[in-house]
Amino acid sequence: MANFQLRQFHFFKRETLEDLPDAFKQPGLLLASNGGGLVFVADATGTIHIVNRAFIVRSFVAVVGEAAGTRITQMHHIHQARTLLTVEENVSAEGAGSRPVVRLWPVDKLLRQTDVQPVGVRFQMPTATPHPLTAVAATPSVGQVALGFAGGHVVLVRGSILKGKSTKQRTLHVAAEPITNLHFVADGAGGLRTTLFATTTAQTLAFDTSGGRSGGGADDSVAVLEERGCAIGCSLVGDADELIVARDEAIYFYTADGRGPCFAFDAPKVLLRR
């Protein structure tokens, strides 16, 4: 491995805050997400704290009456729909094999009300033995939600998901390795083409999910972009709607048609963020 030096870039003015909100001081913070001028922080008690630019905090309990050991394991803000997506799983030894729960929370209502009810994403587990949900993604309108499992399944749910109405489910792919990341991109003329990028620990994949077809078997629309994948959290979608993947030797760029340029940067990568 090549030698490298860490460098500090001063892109922003630094301001020292005298007193942070209590939401940032708790020892059991698990996850954070942001969007729409807000920061969302989830703690080990199942409470989510919403912090605005003035550091005013509004909190709500997202995990109520669940079995001991249930935690929020993933949290993503969907900007266009002003919706917060959460995943709950039982991480205790007793809860091994339990079914994950995916919920959608209307952010504007959370900021005004105290008794907001989420919308559950209805789906069937792709296998008889439940596997951890390792990746999740939604289109900007939440007309499609993709679920990736440690068992290698990629499941697509489509329909009036935000309204809690009936949905259609399809298994897009069954990989030999765990699914590590999922990302939707709308491209083409007028954004009519929807591509789902997926990574496993050994592959980088793309699926065209634009059609309304609900039948068909797994693997009938997958494009293998490269026989290498990446770790959880080591990919994102860039400003040009390309998939960006971080591996130890370089940063790679992909479109639905294949791999593009790369930037050599030989160093361990554990997280990629914009």
Side-chain angles (χ1 to χ4, degrees):
M1 181 179 297
N3 293 326
F4 66 95
Q5 293 180 342
L6 295 178
R7 296 183 179 180
Q8 184 176 9
F9 297 93
H10 299 281
F11 294 117
F12 307 99
K13 292 182 180 179
R14 185 176 65 180
E15 180 181 352
T16 302
L17 301 174
E18 298 297 333
D19 189 26
L20 285 173
D22 291 339
F24 291 127
K25 299 178 181 179
Q26 300 186 41
L29 296 181
L30 300 176
L31 297 167
S33 184
N34 69 285
L38 302 169
V39 174
F40 305 87
V41 182
D43 64 30
T45 68
T47 299
I48 295 177
H49 311 277
I50 307 175
V51 187
N52 65 13
R53 296 179 187 274
F55 289 99
I56 298 173
V57 180
R58 190 172 185 88
S59 303
F60 69 97
V61 179
V63 180
V64 182
E66 304 288 350
T70 299
R71 297 286 186 269
I72 300 173
T73 56
Q74 297 184 60
M75 182 170 62
H76 306 281
H77 178 259
I78 306 168
H79 178 71
Q80 181 174 311
R82 295 282 291 175
T83 298
L84 187 68
L85 184 153
T86 61
V87 177
E88 301 169 20
E89 294 182 277
N90 194 317
V91 298
S92 66
E94 295 77 9
S98 61
R99 187 180 188 277
V101 176
V102 183
R103 292 190 169 114
L104 299 166
W105 302 84
V107 172
D108 291 333
K109 288 185 178 180
L110 290 172
L111 295 173
R112 298 192 307 264
Q113 303 170 209
T114 57
D115 57 345
V116 177
Q117 296 299 314
V119 174
V121 178
R122 302 176 182 178
F123 67 94
Q124 298 294 324
M125 294 296 293
T127 57
T129 302
H131 292 280
L133 183 61
T134 49
V136 63
T139 55
S141 64
V142 200
Q144 300 181 39
V145 172
L147 309 171
F149 295 87
H153 289 75
V154 178
V155 172
L156 179 69
V157 180
R158 68 164 75 239
S160 300
I161 300 173
L162 278 177
K163 296 180 180 179
K165 295 184 178 180
S166 60
T167 57
K168 296 180 180 180
Q169 176 176 324
R170 176 185 169 206
T171 298
L172 295 179
H173 184 63
V174 182
E177 311 84 20
I179 306 301
T180 52
N181 301 280
L182 293 170
H183 305 281
F184 277 108
V185 169
D187 54 13
L192 297 179
R193 178 186 179 187
T194 301
T195 299
L196 173 65
F197 290 109
T199 64
T200 74
T201 54
Q203 287 183 316
T204 301
L205 312 168
F207 307 87
D208 185 349
T209 65
S210 307
R213 183 163 58 96
S214 60
D219 297 306
D220 57 359
S221 63
V222 60
V224 180
L225 302 180
E226 188 156 15
E227 292 290 350
R228 289 191 298 170
C230 68
I232 292 176
C234 286
S235 70
L236 55 79
V237 172
D239 293 334
D241 289 337
E242 75 275 55
L243 177 69
I244 305 174
V245 174
R247 302 190 184 102
D248 285 353
E249 72 282 1
I251 306 293
Y252 297 88
F253 294 77
Y254 298 87
T255 68
D257 299 320
R259 200 181 90 180
C262 68
F263 297 107
F265 176 32
D266 192 4
K269 318 268 190 328
V270 296
L271 187 65
L272 192 61
R273 286 290 182 267
R274 298 180 65 172

